[in-house]
Amino acid sequence: MTSKFQRYADDEISDPSIQMPHQFLATSTQQYPIDILVSRLEKHLADPSSAHEKYPWAAGFVMGIPVPSWQRQVVWNVGQKTRFIVAVWSGADLGSYLTNAWCDSGVGRALAENSDILIDGQQRLHSFEEYFLDRLAVPDVQGQPRVWSEVGNGERKRFLSTVFTHAHVSSDDELLLRKTYDLCAMGVAPRTNDQRAAR
């Protein structure tokens, strides 16, 4: 192994049989304000039975988005959730959340399993939900814990206009969706074996 960096290998020393990992599913991204997620939460809270009818196979919902049974549970503690919401207020890069955009409306009102599911970002979206429902207080600039309902409309608009990138894939292949889910946390906060979806 050489300590000298080369952008490309010289033709005579490269081995075309060496293949590195490839993307499981093509991913698209869109820049949306958090307000878009809040609209989905409002719709879900107004008529939760409709969501259960549409996604009868969902293990649960976060911000109105169905969560598959093979996802790990919510594991962030109050401190982690609070730090995330403070990061939003402070203008930090939020990364992205990933959903599966594929759906099949051929069976009545119910969508095919894994339609519209949340693949990655459950901890962050759950933090939003807890905050918006006044179940989580975060410190204001004075250090006083504040829930969402205490914040004025000017500050709420600032928070809701924050961009949170929405990434999505489109697949009806559950194994590829599970592998994509497992891959999302590799090298950041690896999931324990019992939390992995593709075993």
Side-chain angles (χ1 to χ4, degrees):
M1 194 183 312
T2 178
S3 60
K4 181 182 173 188
F5 171 75
Q6 290 181 281
R7 181 178 299 207
Y8 295 107
D10 297 331
D11 288 338
E12 62 271 11
I13 63 167
S14 62
D15 182 349
S17 67
I18 298 174
Q19 294 284 314
M20 300 305 290
H22 291 262
Q23 186 177 34
F24 294 125
L25 295 169
T27 305
S28 300
T29 59
Q30 294 170 310
Q31 304 289 315
Y32 288 129
I34 293 168
D35 199 39
I36 297 295
L37 277 170
V38 171
S39 295
R40 185 151 184 172
L41 176 64
E42 286 175 327
K43 185 176 178 183
H44 177 74
L45 293 174
D47 187 11
S49 61
S50 176
H52 290 286
E53 190 177 321
K54 191 174 181 182
Y55 309 102
W57 42 263
F61 296 85
V62 62
M63 292 297 290
I65 301 172
V67 178
S69 60
W70 38 265
Q71 270 244 24
R72 70 176 173 171
Q73 298 298 310
V74 174
V75 295
W76 275 10
N77 60 37
V78 172
Q80 290 169 306
K81 293 174 192 175
T82 301
R83 284 191 296 276
F84 173 69
I85 298 300
V86 168
V88 179
W89 279 114
S90 303
D93 178 25
L94 307 181
S96 64
Y97 65 100
L98 178 65
T99 62
N100 182 29
W102 174 84
C103 66
D104 176 11
S105 55
V107 188
R109 291 196 59 198
L111 295 180
E113 195 162 347
N114 297 315
S115 298
D116 295 335
I117 58 169
L118 181 67
I119 298 171
D120 186 54
Q122 182 179 201
Q123 310 305 318
R124 287 167 287 167
L125 267 60
H126 183 260
S127 300
F128 280 135
E129 188 170 304
E130 293 284 284
Y131 185 48
F132 293 136
L133 298 178
D134 283 353
R135 297 177 189 151
L136 179 69
V138 300
D140 63 12
V141 293
Q142 308 290 322
Q144 293 295 315
R146 303 290 183 187
V147 292
W148 180 253
S149 64
E150 296 178 295
V151 179
N153 282 338
E155 287 292 82
R156 290 186 193 196
K157 286 177 184 175
R158 179 168 69 90
F159 188 90
L160 295 174
S161 66
T162 303
V163 171
F164 189 20
T165 302
H166 177 202
H168 57 89
V169 295
S170 183
S171 177
D172 62 353
D173 187 327
E174 185 174 302
L175 181 58
L176 287 181
L177 293 169
R178 286 173 176 250
K179 286 181 176 182
T180 300
Y181 163 78
D182 287 340
L183 185 64
C184 287
M186 293 298 180
V188 180
R191 295 183 172 102
T192 59
N193 191 47
D194 65 311
Q195 295 173 339
R196 292 175 62 87
R199 295 186 186 116

